[in-house]
Amino acid sequence: MSFCDDTLLCNFPKCRTKLSGFAWVTACSHVFCDQHGSGEFSRSPAICPACSSALSGKLDIVRTELSPSEEYKAMVLAGLRPDVILDISARALAFWSYQVHQERMFQEYSLSRAEAQLKQMDKVVTQQNQSREVELSGMRGEIASLKKVMEEYKRKYSEVSERLMERNRQYQKLQGLYDSLRLRNMVVGAGDRDMLPQPGRNDYNIGVARQGTPQRSPQFLSVAPGGDGRFFSCLEADGAKNFFQYSSPARERGRPYINKH
């Protein structure tokens, strides 16, 4: 507020509005809006809301018009001596100067409080930033360690995958060998069933045929997919020869003959 300003502010602590129309002026150089002045000064004894001064005099509180008419201006100081007029003007200017000084002090107080709050907030923000930096550095370290763990897991996963593929290959190989052996056993079993003794045959011929069986059992191979004929496939040449060599009865006389079914 400067001397060029033509408005005052209400000195009520929670009001501080620009005054217009009528205002309440106190002997302690404070001014209040019409609303708060009427409410505060209607009680007895009257106390100034700004400085808590007792206002018991007849002219300690005056309700004045801030924008008087030209007739009032022409007659309010008319007939007074110049020294009285100057004294009244000096006191009015002193009141205005006090209001200006009071407003300046209030603005300085508000500024100092705002600066203190700003410093406090700056300190809090700095502490928060430092704590965030510490947390961020910790999280970066944790991320780095997690990346190392992930790389280790990836390496182990690749090793396990390779081992699993190798085991699968071994399993497929063993499965193929198992299937081939099972088919071979099925073929050999079918051949053994064909060589079982039939009812009505001569027991002697059966015994002789068993004595003349070669050391290696022959394998039966079908001639055609739908054919019934079979032939012996022996891996050794002497096996076929031994198959048709029968022991002479003279050599078999000395040991008893056992018929095996």
Side-chain angles (χ1 to χ4, degrees):
M1 182 182 295
S2 62
F3 286 101
C4 296
D5 296 333
D6 56 354
T7 57
L8 296 175
L9 299 179
C10 178
N11 297 157
F12 195 79
K14 295 182 180 180
C15 183
R16 306 243 359 126
T17 58
K18 291 182 179 182
L19 300 178
S20 61
F22 290 90
W24 293 79
V25 182
T26 63
C28 56
S29 299
H30 291 108
V31 62
F32 302 94
C33 63
D34 196 17
Q35 178 182 359
H36 288 97
S38 301
E40 293 293 329
F41 300 135
S42 61
R43 294 187 294 267
S44 181
I47 297 175
C48 179
C51 62
S52 300
S53 299
L55 304 173
S56 57
K58 182 179 179 180
L59 296 177
D60 288 347
I61 303 171
V62 177
R63 183 173 182 267
T64 182
E65 186 178 2
L66 298 178
S67 299
S69 61
E70 294 297 330
E71 291 81 3
Y72 178 81
K73 293 178 184 179
M75 297 301 295
V76 66
L77 296 178
L80 299 179
R81 295 193 309 269
D83 56 342
V84 176
I85 294 173
L86 292 176
D87 187 22
I88 294 173
S89 299
R91 294 185 182 187
L93 291 175
F95 176 85
W96 189 271
S97 299
Y98 176 76
Q99 287 293 319
V100 172
H101 176 71
Q102 181 177 252
E103 183 63 24
R104 184 173 64 84
M105 293 296 293
F106 178 79
Q107 295 295 336
E108 289 179 356
Y109 169 75
S110 300
L111 179 61
S112 62
R113 188 172 65 176
E115 289 178 351
Q117 292 179 355
L118 180 61
K119 289 181 181 179
Q120 184 68 21
M121 292 179 63
D122 190 14
K123 184 178 180 180
V124 172
V125 170
T126 302
Q127 293 177 354
Q128 291 180 354
N129 289 336
Q130 291 177 356
S131 62
R132 295 295 184 275
E133 288 293 334
V134 173
E135 292 179 0
L136 183 60
S137 61
M139 292 177 66
R140 287 175 178 172
E142 186 176 357
I143 290 173
S145 62
L146 290 176
K147 285 183 178 180
K148 292 181 180 179
V149 172
M150 186 176 66
E151 293 295 332
E152 183 67 19
Y153 281 142
K154 286 183 178 180
R155 184 182 62 80
K156 291 181 179 181
Y157 174 75
S158 61
E159 292 178 357
V160 170
S161 299
E162 292 178 358
R163 288 160 59 183
L164 179 61
M165 293 175 64
E166 182 64 25
R167 294 294 175 85
N168 288 333
R169 287 193 293 268
Q170 293 178 3
Y171 171 77
Q172 295 295 333
K173 184 177 180 181
L174 292 174
Q175 186 68 28
L177 292 175
Y178 171 75
D179 293 339
S180 62
L181 289 174
R182 186 178 64 178
L183 292 175
R184 181 177 179 182
N185 291 333
M186 291 174 62
V187 172
V188 172
D192 293 338
R193 286 194 298 271
D194 292 340
M195 294 181 63
L196 291 176
Q198 300 294 330
R201 288 188 178 182
N202 194 335
D203 294 339
Y204 175 77
N205 293 331
I206 295 173
V208 172
R210 287 185 176 178
Q211 292 179 1
T213 302
Q215 296 179 358
R216 180 175 297 180
S217 300
Q219 297 180 357
F220 295 119
L221 301 178
S222 61
V223 177
D228 296 332
R230 296 184 179 182
F231 64 91
F232 294 98
S233 174
C234 298
L235 300 179
E236 296 180 0
D238 56 348
K241 182 175 66 176
N242 293 332
F243 180 79
F244 294 100
Q245 290 180 357
Y246 296 92
S247 300
S248 61
R251 296 176 59 185
E252 297 296 332
R253 291 173 185 173
R255 53 185 179 181
Y257 177 74
I258 300 174
N259 187 9
K260 298 180 180 180
H261 294 283

